Amino acid sequence: EAGVAQSPRYKIIEKRQSVAFWCNPISGHATLYWYQQILGQGPKLLIQFQNNGVVDDSQLPKDRFSAERLKGVDSTLKIQPAKLEDSAVYLCASSFFGGSGYEQYFGPGTRLTVT
Amino acid sequence: GESVGLHLPTLSVQEGDNSIINCAYSNSASDYFIWYKQESGKGPQFIIDIRSNMDKRQGQRVTVLLNKTVKHLSLQIAATQPGDSAVYFCAESGAGSYQLTFGKGTKLSVIP
């Protein structure tokens, strides 16, 4: 089975610019997650979708970050405008269903460098 | 807020030896725990999980132990191989919560 796909793999932008990341989850997975992983730390959940609805976005900095999953399949995460502290790897994960006990499958991530 | 953490940031072991990676958690309501392996440039990969109604679970070369009394989780890797070199994260979710909380990770280096 194909894994979670993400693009681009790497992105370098200047502060105050905008950037968008794309994720295609595993086919049939209803739940999609975006995580931010700062170097040397564990991933931190930004937003969770169940189909095309938001389940949890409590840790998403909504003044600059936005995410959508319009058709309940692939998703985009946008940062506008970017700050230096946004430099991190952005991971997308999916699971068959949400909730405790359902394994999350991760994509390779997009490494963002903000200069 | 409550979080999951790890005792040691780095661990070096000789090839063929057993490895033990530890994790402490603070949320007494956590009922599901997972260990992930993350190789350089890749996303986390599921290794093994355990629910709070269990204290031990075994997989292929890996064993997870859960001590709810002291809120401690460990991952044991038998006969460690060079391919096991990676950063290992424990993660937990609480009862009724969809959110998976990760610890900071332990870097395992296997010496040939």
Side-chain angles (χ1 to χ4, degrees):
Chain A
E1 125 185 304
V4 176
Q6 288 189 249
S7 68
R9 290 297 314 276
Y10 305 93
K11 190 74 178 179
I12 300 173
I13 62 173
E14 295 181 351
K15 59 183 179 183
R16 291 187 289 274
Q17 285 187 324
S18 301
V19 65
F21 313 125
W22 175 83
C23 171
N24 193 314
I26 292 173
S27 178
H29 281 193
T31 309
L32 185 147
Y33 313 79
W34 282 103
Y35 288 85
Q36 180 192 58
Q37 185 175 25
I38 293 172
L39 185 64
Q41 298 183 16
K44 183 187 82 171
L45 180 69
L46 293 176
I47 189 168
Q48 177 183 344
F49 292 94
Q50 182 73 20
N51 296 309
N52 60 351
V54 175
V55 173
D56 184 351
D57 64 357
S58 58
Q59 299 192 83
L60 187 73
K62 299 180 187 63
D63 58 334
R64 298 184 300 106
F65 286 64
S66 64
E68 60 183 14
R69 193 185 184 199
L70 293 177
K71 297 182 179 179
V73 180
D74 55 356
S75 174
T76 56
L77 175 69
K78 297 179 182 177
I79 307 175
Q80 181 181 10
K83 293 185 176 181
L84 295 176
E85 58 260 37
D86 297 332
S87 293
V89 174
Y90 290 85
L91 294 162
C92 179
S94 70
S95 62
F96 181 75
F97 200 69
S100 178
Y102 289 93
E103 180 182 343
Q104 296 183 23
Y105 295 83
F106 284 81
T110 297
R111 181 176 295 278
L112 173 68
T113 301
V114 182
T115 63
Chain B
E2 293 177 304
S3 63
V4 178
L6 293 172
H7 293 308
L8 297 173
T10 60
L11 177 66
S12 295
V13 297
Q14 205 72 35
E15 181 179 357
D17 287 351
N18 297 334
S19 302
I20 299 176
I21 301 172
N22 296 305
C23 176
Y25 65 95
S26 56
N27 186 352
S28 56
S30 297
D31 67 350
Y32 180 61
F33 304 86
I34 310 175
W35 281 100
Y36 281 94
K37 171 186 179 183
Q38 188 172 26
E39 297 174 277
S40 180
K42 297 184 179 179
Q45 178 186 4
F46 173 90
I47 301 173
I48 192 168
D49 60 359
I50 188 168
R51 294 191 178 275
S52 60
N53 61 352
M54 303 172 67
D55 53 21
K56 180 179 179 179
R57 191 166 186 215
Q58 288 184 293
Q60 187 176 13
R61 283 202 307 118
V62 294
T63 301
V64 56
L65 299 177
L66 175 62
N67 185 329
K68 295 180 285 296
T69 302
V70 295
K71 296 182 210 168
H72 183 268
L73 191 70
S74 69
L75 176 70
Q76 300 178 1
I77 305 173
T80 312
Q81 302 170 359
D84 295 326
S85 294
V87 176
Y88 289 80
F89 293 96
C90 63
E92 57 89 15
S93 66
S97 170
Y98 293 150
Q99 189 173 121
L100 201 59
T101 301
F102 283 78
K104 289 188 176 181
T106 292
K107 183 176 181 180
L108 175 65
S109 298
V110 181
I111 305 166

